[in-house]
């Protein structure tokens, strides 16, 4: 999903997003294709491979414990995973890693 931001709101929104995404994410410009078939540049935040907060290859029990116990400026990681799972499911996007993690957290 892409959002167009009014110029006068740009800095306030970027300041908010920079705090919300401060856990190892970096601003990146990516090309996206809109429903109108227009190809445009869009700002997103991406966790790059050197993200200091990554927990890649953690055993399931350890990952579940981390998700249950961690909380960031935007809320709990538990809520994030469950809401992400619901949003993906609503859009018929299948992500087995997210689905498995959410099922175990429920």
């Amino acid at each position: 999903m892409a959002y167009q931001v009014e110029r006068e709101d740009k800095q306030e929104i970027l300041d908010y997003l920079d705090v919300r995404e401060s856990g190892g994410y970096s601003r990146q410009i990516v090309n996206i294709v809109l429903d109108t078939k227009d190809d445009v540049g869009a700002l997103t935040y991406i966790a790059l491979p050197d993200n200091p907060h990554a927990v890649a290859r953690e055993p399931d029990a350890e990952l579940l414990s981390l998700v249950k116990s961690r909380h960031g400026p935007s809320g709990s990681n538990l809520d994030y995973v469950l809401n992400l799972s619901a949003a993906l499911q609503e859009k018929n996007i299948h992500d087995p890693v997210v689905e498995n993690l959410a099922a175990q957290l429920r």
Side-chain angles (χ1 to χ4, degrees):
M1 182 167 298
Y3 298 93
Q4 183 173 350
V5 175
E6 298 297 330
R7 286 194 193 284
E8 62 268 12
D9 298 328
K10 177 183 171 184
Q11 194 57 53
E12 179 182 354
I13 291 169
L14 286 174
D15 290 346
Y16 167 77
L17 290 172
D18 283 345
V19 170
R20 190 184 82 180
E21 305 299 332
S22 64
Y25 295 91
S26 66
R27 282 189 197 179
Q28 302 288 313
I29 301 295
V30 297
N31 287 326
I32 62 171
V33 178
L34 303 174
D35 288 343
T36 61
K37 307 298 185 223
D38 293 329
D39 186 349
V40 299
L43 174 79
T44 190
Y45 289 78
I46 298 175
L48 298 174
D50 63 348
N51 179 346
H53 302 285
V55 290
R57 306 200 193 290
E58 290 285 337
D60 282 345
E62 289 180 50
L63 180 58
L64 291 169
S65 177
L66 285 172
V67 170
K68 288 178 182 178
S69 65
R70 300 294 169 94
H71 194 276
S74 299
S76 76
N77 283 348
L78 175 63
D79 289 343
Y80 176 84
V81 170
L82 296 178
N83 289 336
L84 174 61
S85 177
L88 292 174
Q89 192 172 42
E90 185 178 299
K91 297 188 178 314
N92 293 320
I93 298 171
H94 178 67
D95 185 320
V97 173
V98 174
E99 291 168 10
N100 182 41
L101 186 56
Q104 292 183 62
L105 289 166
R106 283 189 203 96

